[in-house]
Amino acid sequence: MTEPPRPSDPAGPTGAGGGDHGAGGRRRAELRALLEILALCGLVITQPLLDVTGRSPDFFLFHGAGSADVLVLVALFALLPPVLLWAAGALTGLAGPAVRAWVQVGTVGGLTAALAVQVGKHLLPVRGVPLLLLALAVGVAGGYAYRRWRVPGQVLRVASIGTPVFVLLFVFASPSSAVVLPGQKPGAAADAGPDAAHPPVVMLVLDEFPLVSLLDSSGAIDATRYPNIARLAGESTWYRNSTAVSGWTPYALPAMLTGRYPSREQAPHYSQYPENLFTAFGADYDVRVRETISQLCPPSVCPEDRRETTRGGLPVLLRESATLLWEIVSPYDSDRDPETAYREETRREAGSPTGGRLTPTPTPAPDPTDPTFRWDRLDENQPARFTDFLAELRPADRPALHFLHLLMPHSPWNYLPSGVRYESGPGMRNDGDWWVSLAHQRHLAQVAYTDRLVGETLRTLEETGLYDDAVVVLTSDHGVSFTPGVQGRSLNAVRQSPAEVLWVPTFIKRPGQRTAAVDDRNWEHVDLLPTVAELAGVPVSWRTDGVSGLAAPRDRAEKYFHDQPGDRLEIPGPATFAEVTSGVGGPTLPDPPLPELVGRAVADLPVAQGGDGGAVTVTNRAEFARIDPDSGRLPALVYGTVAEQVPDGTLLAVAVNGRIGAVAPVVPPDPEGRRFAALLPDESLFSPGGNQLEIFAVADGPVLTRLATPPG
């Protein structure tokens, strides 16, 4: 048996250099220690982070990261953790070789435990404390083996080559490599000058917007809730059987703008898709493009001085990466959708200028009756890119293509119909009947807000004289399911609820069109490019999978969908608008309980006296202490935890300033505790300054029992 290294051995715990003495021996020992830490950090930190971000180029594109930002971030992933851990350990060498040796053992054991957590999450069903205890046991065993024998240290030093390999694979072989090394592709042809055959084109591509969210019980656009989209439907061609070809924007959007089905995992970047809508239009049109999680317009068509400003850059990338790393090493599964971090900045947050631009002044909504929180006071709450998009909608000597991809009504759902914003807090779930029902309520409120943005677009087009002359396109890249058990856009959601995930709104108004038309052809979103190009008189020089909506429709009945590029799923025919209307009203979800109580004054209802009704801790209670009308924000989502005295299923009435705004159940406990949440969409409940918040348990009668609400 090999003799374990002596504590006084300058080589430290690796046991690899018992004969090394003096400064040279200590340097070699520290180099070995650094390589060992580098190997483990590569497996625990570098590889998982680069794997996730390498498969998600949209992460970098959305946050406005350039090549330098990405390379700095990769260098930090690969070098900062091991260097910091090694440096901290090396400093302990001042206390003597024995201390240094044991610190290295602890570092190796801790990193081994973190690696065991990740492996355990892939291989074992256990989570939380049991997984953590198991990982700690593995870490202790790993530290002992490292201290006892030479081989583990030797293996780790050889494995340190893995970190540069992970970096090289990310930079040169991952889908995100296009963002790091975009290369140069041919751009548009030379300017062709003004041509009356090329009408202005205005394209508004929304995101995560199922068609069913727009429909009333008869299968028509709900004109009461969504008057602006209903108006566009009445003056355009509605392709009612329009479906997405992918449920993930980095695949769906390029398919829409190239006319080709997704075939490879690649970045939504001009270097990967050199033939697209923007390069086709670049010769004849002034192309004004505002993208979010793509960069399909090349510099030759969209020069740098006309590109959008950064949306955070490196500081935001670091913050989001830290959140991602915590989710990776946590012994709990994360229920956070990474795309919920893709929230549109408001004009105020982005510091978007208004001087010299067309400042939007939307028409006030008929509700709420209280003018304090009205849409006309909150134009700064519009997404900054939408404000700038509106500013550019004006006639010009040269025909223009105005394109905006807007992450609306995409989650996170933080807008009321008026445009007032609210915060949802961390850890808001989207599973279980009530949580899904609440998510659907919030989604529909954001759909109504999106309708206002559409209305503002139509108003601006009318005021500038572009409306009659232009091709106007409104659509979405994909939908989303709110069916319990398959909510989201997973393959299960596609198979069990295709009407929610596949079918999307698609309205195309031709120049001069003022009457409604309905086209029930088997439209797939690869048809968008050839249709818009034909209406604009722009030739498409490459083969497309799509068919122009002006040509004869495709004769097959089934729908094609790609959960992964190159992996085609066929939705059996006849896949028609009947698939949507058969589920009109959206998914089957529990309605908000006791709607007859909402809006009633507490003073008009019996309130039980005495007794310990229990306590409810409202997490955002402090927001009710001072409401500022100029902030554009309201605590419209009330959420918190419930004491054990309040049974599961208890209905809670939430009252603001003496009037009930919502009723919500106490849901069964989850890892965050026993919780509740309720949406208060009626803005007239609130008043400037301090507001009184009360929570009541509701019994048959109904009889209210006031619950204590200590500070959150």
Side-chain angles (χ1 to χ4, degrees), residues 122-145:
H122 284 288
L123 300 180
L124 303 174
V126 296
R127 294 293 184 270
V129 174
L131 177 59
L132 180 60
L133 293 175
L134 180 61
L136 289 175
V138 173
V140 169
Y144 174 81

Side-chain angles (χ1 to χ4, degrees), residues 254-274:
M256 297 166 68
L257 301 187
T258 64
R260 292 172 173 165
Y261 294 116
S263 59
R264 293 189 298 120
E265 291 188 13
Q266 54 193 15
H269 193 273
Y270 61 83
S271 65
Q272 309 300 302
Y273 298 96

Side-chain angles (χ1 to χ4, degrees), residues 63 209 279 426 531 534 700:
H63 292 298
F209 194 169
T279 56
T531 303
E534 184 171 353
D700 290 341

Side-chain angles (χ1 to χ4, degrees), residues 522 524 554-560 568 570-575:
N522 183 6
E524 295 177 350
R554 57 174 53 86
D555 54 9
R556 62 175 165 83
E558 63 271 19
K559 293 286 191 180
Y560 289 171
R568 188 176 75 194
E570 295 188 9
I571 307 298

Side-chain angles (χ1 to χ4, degrees), residues 305-356:
D305 61 353
R306 282 171 46 192
R307 287 186 180 275
E308 297 182 61
T309 57
T310 181
R311 291 189 290 273
L314 186 59
V316 176
L317 292 179
L318 288 171
R319 185 187 69 218
E320 293 296 327
S321 297
T323 301
L324 175 60
L325 179 59
W326 171 250
E327 293 173 354
I328 289 172
V329 301
S330 170
Y332 294 94
D333 286 328
S334 172
D335 58 1
R336 183 180 75 101
D337 180 356
E339 291 189 15
T340 59
Y342 296 169
R343 183 182 67 79
E344 298 278 8
E345 288 184 315
T346 66
R347 193 177 74 186
R348 175 179 292 184
E349 291 169 332
S352 179
T354 57

